[in-house]
């Protein structure tokens, strides 16, 4: 456990949790979190969840398939952090690759956080209703306020003292 994670556990304060799946909106969510961290408080915890569906578990037993979903999730997370921040990452940033369904992992990680930030892939309509949505589940069940980013271009949050 890192020193930042130990300090967070002792203080009970968890800052901003960001769901990261490597999409452009999750990278934008990381940038939003960094801009909002001075107001909401930190640290920023970037979370990439991985889950092997029942049908995918069959691949694990085939010879020649060398696949590690946890390493893949960690790789996606590292690449997203690099794209969002380059070599200058926010102070105290925590990166986690966690096994579980993304919506469930993010809701659990939201416990005690000041904010949860996620991107929306915007399925909408019938497909969104049939398939469900991580952002929808987070908005409905998170234990803190949730910011859901929509679309490719998202305006920056207003600066302190500036009207929203």
């Amino acid at each position: 456990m890192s020193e930042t994670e130990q300090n967070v556990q002792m203080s009970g304060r968890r800052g901003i949790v960001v769901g990261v799946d490597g999409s452009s909106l999750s990278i934008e969510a990381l940038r939003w979190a960094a801009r909002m961290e001075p107001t909401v408080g930190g640290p920023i915890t970037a979370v990439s969840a991985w889950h092997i569906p029942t049908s995918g578990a069959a691949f694990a037993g085939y010879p020649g398939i060398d696949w590690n979903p946890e390493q893949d999730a960690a790789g996606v997370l590292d690449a997203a952090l690099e794209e969002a921040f380059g070599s200058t990452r926010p102070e105290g940033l925590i990166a986690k690759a966690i096994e579980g369904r993304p919506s469930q992992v993010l809701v659990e990680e939201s416990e005690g956080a000041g904010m949860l930030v996620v991107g929306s892939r915007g399925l909408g309509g019938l497909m969104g209703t049939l398939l469900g949505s991580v952002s929808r589940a987070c908005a409905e069940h998170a234990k803190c306020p949730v910011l859901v980013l929509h679309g490719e271009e998202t305006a920056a949050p207003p600066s302190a003292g500036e009207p929203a």
Side-chain angles (χ1 to χ4, degrees), residues 54-143:
T54 305
S55 61
F59 291 114
Y62 285 106
I65 295 183
D66 186 23
W67 176 56
N68 184 322
E70 185 174 12
Q71 283 180 341
D72 284 352
V76 166
L77 184 55
D78 286 341
L81 290 169
E82 180 65 29
E83 187 170 340
F85 304 122
S87 62
T88 310
R89 294 185 179 178
E91 186 176 328
L93 179 93
I94 299 167
K96 294 180 172 183
I98 301 173
E99 181 179 8
R101 295 184 184 278
S103 57
Q104 183 177 10
V105 166
L106 291 171
V107 167
E108 288 171 5
E109 287 292 309
S110 74
E111 183 75 41
M115 178 174 279
L116 171 62
V117 184
V118 294
S120 171
R121 294 211 177 166
L123 288 174
L126 180 60
M127 289 303 289
T129 302
L130 292 175
L131 297 177
S133 162
V134 171
S135 60
R136 181 178 306 159
C138 289
E140 291 176 6
H141 302 289
K143 309 297 188 232

Side-chain angles (χ1 to χ4, degrees), residues 8 11-19 33 39-47 96 105-117 142-147:
V8 168
S11 70
R13 193 177 91 166
R14 299 206 31 228
I16 302 172
V17 175
V18 183
T39 303
V40 176
I44 296 170
T45 302
V47 177
K96 294 180 172 183
V105 166
L106 291 171
V107 167
E108 288 171 5
E109 287 292 309
S110 74
E111 183 75 41
M115 178 174 279
L116 171 62
V117 184
K143 309 297 188 232
C144 66
V146 179
L147 172 63

